Amino acid sequence: MITGESMPVEKKIDDTVVAGTINTNSTFTFRATKVGSETLLAHIVKMVADAQGSKAPIQALADTISSIFVPVVLILSFVTLGAWLLIGTQYLGFAQALSFGLTSFVGILVIACPCALGLATPTAIIVGVGKGAAEGILIKDAATLQKLHEVNTIVMDKTGTITKGKPELTSIKNHSLRLGDDNVISILAGLENKSEHPIAYAILQYAQLKSIEIASVQEFEIIKGKGLKGVIEGTEYYAGNTKLVSDLKLSLDGESIETETLQGKTPVILATKNEIIAVILVADAVKPEAIEAIKNLHTLGIKTVMLTGDTKNTAHAIAKEVGIDEVVAEVLPEDKLKKIKDLQSQGRIVAMAGDGVNDAPALAQADVGIAMGTGTDVAIETAGITLLHGDISKMVKAIKLSKMTMRGIKQNLFWAFIYNLAGIPLAAGLFYPLFGWLLNPIFAGLAMALSSVSVVGNSLRLKARQL
């Protein structure tokens, strides 16, 4: 919960444990050194609240324009009426000048009615949010969707965001001449079936996925800190770490094992008293879509940063595999928060993607928080965007959707204004002295309606666009 490591951390006497975390096996006695508001979890909650409270609301572009546009139009309509009365009376007489002046006055007010301006932003936002939901991208509010198109840096947690968040069997190195891979897994699953270790679950899950029968074990015994052993069909098998192999005095390619360990993989060695049968590697595997997603983010010109509480070796190995630009490892929740602030102080617009309690402060501080739908409730509640099923590729779609929606809003504002810019001079009677043109208020109303129709039509066009 605090570091984001995929594998449980072994604790010994005098180690610190955190309130709210889970003890996976056995029992222990602990002393409460901090309670209530002093606990780390309470501290995280406070950091989230502080970060959310510091966010400034984003003022919609259309509201700003309307606040200037409406008074200008009102003044212009009265100025036009006055101009007709002052100047028109000299050439047309008072009655005719008043008639044309009132026609122009009403025409300006009708054609410049900011209906389309009011529709420009909300129609595009409604379509954008709806399209996002259909794609499995849940957007909490319009401000988040608006801000996302400006993002130039995405900070990602490792466990549960880039990786699947749980150990699974990644490879089998079979050294046996008489046993196939399925036989190796059958024996190993039989031994691990009686264990409570998370690695055991990974091996058993693999056996179930491949429909491999789990071998029956007799004389099962746990070898503390090293592994376990048991008898299967008259043969005594051992499964465990390099310490167990060393005790059995069997030769093993230590350099290869060390290389795999440095990459964040955990080796499980299956052996008898006489030989090494196989080396099975268990790791928190990268999500299948992660590599392509990072590549697409780079195509969009976005810098990627991995921020994780996991070990440096594991973090750098995963980052290298998927193509992350920058790695910051072995960090606590407050360190993640500080990194986001540092990036923002450099002028970066930052999105944070995570799924755990330890990501919540950073999610709240970021300009845009993106939570995995498979993550914790506190992460989902804190973030502005939730990606269903924890699919990281949807992050790219979310950014494209934001850019598409904002482009639609700008187009809408253009169509809303083009009618006004073209129609106001005509409605004011500016062309009457030259061509005798004067806009009837009925046609001004039609132009105003067409501007609204064009804005709504342009917004609906977003539904047909591919992300």
Side-chain angles (χ1 to χ4, degrees), residues 82-297:
W84 272 107
L85 291 175
L86 286 173
I87 302 170
T89 302
Q90 299 174 27
Y91 300 98
L92 303 172
F94 178 76
Q96 188 74 10
L98 178 62
S99 175
F100 285 175
L102 288 173
T103 299
S104 297
F105 177 80
V106 173
I108 290 172
L109 291 178
V110 171
I111 202 168
C113 177
C115 298
L117 198 62
L119 290 169
T121 300
T123 52
I125 291 291
I126 288 167
V127 174
V129 170
K131 187 175 180 65
E135 294 280 353
I137 304 162
L138 304 184
I139 300 162
K140 189 178 288 186
D141 52 49
T144 298
L145 185 61
Q146 182 177 339
K147 195 68 180 175
L148 186 59
H149 90 286
E150 300 174 359
V151 165
N152 53 29
T153 304
I154 290 189
V155 178
M156 287 170 273
D157 175 43
K158 179 186 75 68
T159 310
T161 303
I162 297 172
T163 65
K164 294 180 180 179
K166 57 183 180 181
E168 61 178 46
L169 195 153
T170 57
S171 64
I172 304 166
K173 295 184 178 180
N174 193 343
H175 300 295
S176 175
L177 299 175
R178 57 188 179 83
L179 297 173
D181 288 356
D182 286 0
N183 300 118
V184 167
I185 295 300
S186 176
I187 293 166
L188 189 59
L191 293 169
E192 298 288 3
N193 197 26
K194 295 180 181 291
S195 170
E196 294 180 335
H197 199 282
I199 288 177
Y201 297 134
I203 293 166
L204 289 166
Q205 188 178 39
Y206 181 85
Q208 290 168 2
L209 186 67
K210 298 291 185 180
S211 301
I212 298 171
E213 187 179 350
I214 297 172
S216 178
V217 179
Q218 286 82 39
E219 300 177 32
F220 176 81
E221 183 184 333
I222 291 176
I223 305 168
K224 192 171 182 180
K226 297 174 184 177
L228 37 83
K229 67 176 182 177
V231 176
I232 299 173
E233 296 180 358
T235 303
E236 189 173 51
Y237 291 97
Y238 295 81
N241 55 26
T242 52
K243 292 178 184 175
L244 181 62
V245 173
S246 179
D247 289 350
L248 292 170
K249 294 181 171 54
L250 298 174
S251 61
L252 184 68
D253 184 358
E255 190 174 325
S256 173
I257 294 290
E258 188 178 353
T259 300
E260 300 286 2
T261 304
L262 287 174
Q263 292 177 359
K265 298 175 183 177
T266 302
V268 180
I269 303 154
L270 180 65
T272 63
K273 283 186 177 180
N274 304 314
E275 63 172 343
I276 301 288
I277 296 173
V279 177
I280 287 82
L281 295 169
V282 174
D284 183 12
V286 168
K287 290 180 178 179
E289 67 275 11
I291 296 172
E292 187 67 23
I294 301 301
K295 183 180 176 183
N296 289 334
L297 288 173

Side-chain angles (χ1 to χ4, degrees), residues 278-438:
V279 177
I280 287 82
L281 295 169
V282 174
D284 183 12
V286 168
K287 290 180 178 179
E289 67 275 11
I291 296 172
E292 187 67 23
I294 301 301
K295 183 180 176 183
N296 289 334
L297 288 173
H298 287 153
T299 302
L300 291 171
I302 294 172
K303 178 183 178 181
T304 53
V305 180
M306 181 195 286
L307 206 55
T308 178
D310 214 337
T311 61
K312 287 181 180 178
N313 289 331
T314 302
H316 281 281
I318 296 294
K320 186 178 179 182
E321 185 178 347
V322 299
I324 295 281
D325 297 322
E326 183 183 345
V327 182
V328 184
E330 297 178 6
V331 289
L332 292 174
E334 56 263 37
D335 300 320
K336 291 188 176 185
L337 178 67
K338 185 176 181 295
K339 179 63 178 178
I340 299 292
K341 287 181 177 178
D342 287 345
L343 287 168
Q344 289 172 329
S345 68
Q346 295 168 22
R348 313 291 297 185
I349 307 298
V350 183
M352 169 71 191
D355 74 327
V357 173
N358 60 329
D359 301 317
L363 285 169
Q365 176 61 38
D367 296 287
V368 178
I370 304 172
M372 301 296 114
T374 50
T376 59
D377 289 347
V378 68
I380 293 169
E381 183 63 29
T382 306
I385 294 175
T386 301
L387 306 180
L388 295 185
H389 315 301
D391 186 349
I392 192 175
S393 66
K394 294 184 189 299
M395 192 188 305
V396 180
K397 288 186 175 183
I399 293 169
K400 287 182 178 178
L401 177 66
S402 176
K403 290 180 182 293
M404 190 188 299
T405 304
M406 290 309 299
R407 192 160 53 245
I409 289 171
K410 289 171 184 175
Q411 289 168 353
N412 286 349
L413 291 172
F414 169 79
W415 285 113
F417 273 112
I418 197 71
Y419 286 94
N420 295 328
L421 293 174
I424 287 175
L426 182 61
L430 201 63
F431 300 108
Y432 183 80
L434 298 173
F435 308 107
W437 295 349
L438 193 63

